[in-house]
Amino acid sequence: RAKSQQRTGHFYFSRSMGVEIRERVRMMHALRTGFSQNQLFVVYQPQVDLDSRRAMGAEALLRWQTPDGKFVSPDRFIPIAEYSGLIIDIGEWVMRTAMQELVALRAAGHTEFTMSINVSQVQFRHPHFLDTLRNALHDTGAPPEYVELEITESMAMEEPDMLIKMLAQIKQTGVTIAIDDFGTGFSSLSYLQRLQIDRLKIDRAFVTEITNSARGSSIAEMVVQLGRNLGLAVIAEGVEDERQAQILHNLGCPLAQGFLFARPMTGEALSGWLSNDALAGVA
Ligand code: C2E
Ligand code: MG
Ligand code: MG
Ligand code: MG
């Protein structure tokens, strides 16, 4: 009996795998075409100071709208871009686009505004990553100290020695580093201390929990404390309502990002949004 079950299991598994692989291959081709036909664009979500409610920076987020008008979520297509290697070219393009936007905002007077850019572990591991970063900074004229790279905590977990070395080299370019989705991995304190990072981003899951239960804010509180102890900046992501913002503010979390303040928007919309917030990112 065990044997036949195993076989059935195997058959079922490979058939669904076939469907899955075919779908991935289809999406990979569509993404490659889409990228070359300018179906990808970058949107920007403001990051605000919880005290003054002023925008201090933005996170660049990739969007893909297919010719039928539908949007494909980055959670679906980024893994395919990674798996196929397309993320190398796409990621470089995002980096340059976001840096150009930063330069444009600076020209409009937002000279203290920062730009956060998500970096995939596939990009990060690529032997030319440092050159790509340096060239993008050089060609766009973006000031490195206003550029932040976001890497995920799960990425920080793998190959610790490689990561420690890479971060040290990246820091030499002058850009800053944030750990995204913080709290979802299990980095130890001693390991975190060895990483040259600047900021922790509290994962949205823990922000949501804040108002869900009596002990809901304990992880957010712990990350704020950790940041304080390690001398790192802290930002909360996925803040959707005023109560969450209040609690985070009371916990001493200085910055936040979320639908409460603004949804991700095009560069053009961001300039408009910032001019309504006349002092945003101005020294
Ligand atoms: P992430 O870097 O953690 O980005 C935050 C995600 O939370 C974004 O989803 C953003 O739109 C969403 N978000 C922001 N505020 C709220 C809120 O108040 N409520 C809710 N429910 N969601 C909120 P998005 O844009 O769909 O991106 C998903 C993930 O895809 C990102 O998570 C990131 O891991 C990845 N991604 C997006 N753009 C890029 C990119 O250019 N490069 C790479 N490598 N990954 C990217
Ligand atoms: Mg991010
Ligand atoms: Mg995140
Ligand atoms: Mg995330």
Side-chain angles (χ1 to χ4, degrees), residues 4-274:
S4 76
Q5 238 177 13
Q6 217 178 334
R7 234 188 269 145
T8 313
H10 178 74
F11 174 68
Y12 191 74
F13 181 69
S14 45
R15 202 167 58 168
S16 62
M17 278 284 285
V19 172
E20 169 67 14
I21 286 170
R22 214 174 301 153
E23 170 58 20
R24 275 209 219 176
V25 169
R26 191 199 60 77
M27 198 184 269
M28 186 184 92
H29 287 305
L31 184 59
R32 180 176 290 131
T33 310
F35 180 50
S36 68
Q37 295 180 352
N38 304 318
Q39 293 168 20
L40 298 189
F41 61 102
V42 180
V43 289
Y44 304 90
Q45 186 178 36
Q47 301 173 327
V48 306
D49 179 310
L50 277 173
D51 215 22
S52 64
R53 297 289 170 107
R54 278 168 45 188
M56 308 306 281
E59 177 179 8
L61 294 159
L62 190 55
R63 291 292 176 265
W64 178 22
Q65 188 173 26
T66 54
D68 60 8
K70 285 187 190 130
F71 285 91
V72 187
S73 159
D75 287 325
R76 275 186 72 206
F77 74 79
I78 298 273
I80 284 160
E82 291 178 326
Y83 174 80
S84 62
L86 275 170
I87 196 70
I88 299 299
D89 288 344
I90 294 177
E92 178 175 5
W93 174 78
V94 170
M95 195 181 266
R96 286 173 174 266
T97 304
M99 286 179 183
Q100 278 160 5
E101 187 60 37
L102 176 67
V103 170
L105 289 168
R106 293 177 67 78
H110 304 290
T111 53
E112 290 299 309
F113 202 79
T114 61
M115 183 61 73
S116 303
I117 302 166
N118 291 287
V119 176
S120 150
Q121 54 180 322
V122 177
Q123 284 172 275
F124 207 75
R125 286 215 189 95
H126 193 276
H128 293 158
F129 180 73
L130 268 167
D131 284 335
T132 303
L133 174 63
R134 285 196 202 102
N135 291 339
L137 288 166
H138 176 267
D139 295 348
T140 61
E145 59 276 31
Y146 292 95
V147 172
E148 177 181 76
L149 302 183
E150 294 190 2
I151 63 170
T152 59
E153 191 183 12
S154 53
M155 191 169 146
M157 297 292 298
E158 295 165 33
E159 305 172 70
D161 294 331
M162 172 268 194
L163 187 71
I164 290 165
K165 230 173 86 190
M166 262 302 274
L167 291 182
Q169 288 177 310
I170 288 173
K171 289 292 292 180
Q172 280 176 8
T173 67
V175 305
T176 64
I177 314 261
I179 304 232
D180 204 354
D181 305 336
F182 190 76
T184 55
F186 304 93
S187 353
S188 70
L189 255 177
S190 59
Y191 178 44
L192 269 181
Q193 236 170 347
R194 293 173 61 204
L195 298 177
Q196 293 197 36
I197 51 175
D198 303 279
R199 175 144 100 159
L200 303 175
K201 277 193 102 168
I202 306 176
D203 191 69
R204 173 156 64 89
F206 307 118
V207 172
T208 309
E209 253 177 62
I210 280 180
T211 46
N212 278 355
S213 70
R215 283 168 50 199
S217 61
S218 48
I219 293 181
E221 190 172 2
M222 187 206 74
V223 180
V224 171
Q225 277 301 328
L226 190 61
R228 203 169 281 150
N229 294 339
L230 294 178
L232 304 174
V234 174
I235 179 166
E237 71 177 354
V239 177
E240 292 183 349
D241 64 55
E242 194 54 52
R243 268 185 69 213
Q244 292 167 345
Q246 282 301 334
I247 295 171
L248 285 162
H249 188 227
N250 293 342
L251 292 178
C253 178
L255 293 162
Q257 185 183 335
F259 295 168
L260 171 66
F261 311 106
R263 294 203 170 234
M265 57 186 105
T266 62
E268 203 182 336
L270 179 65
S271 314
W273 192 85
L274 289 177

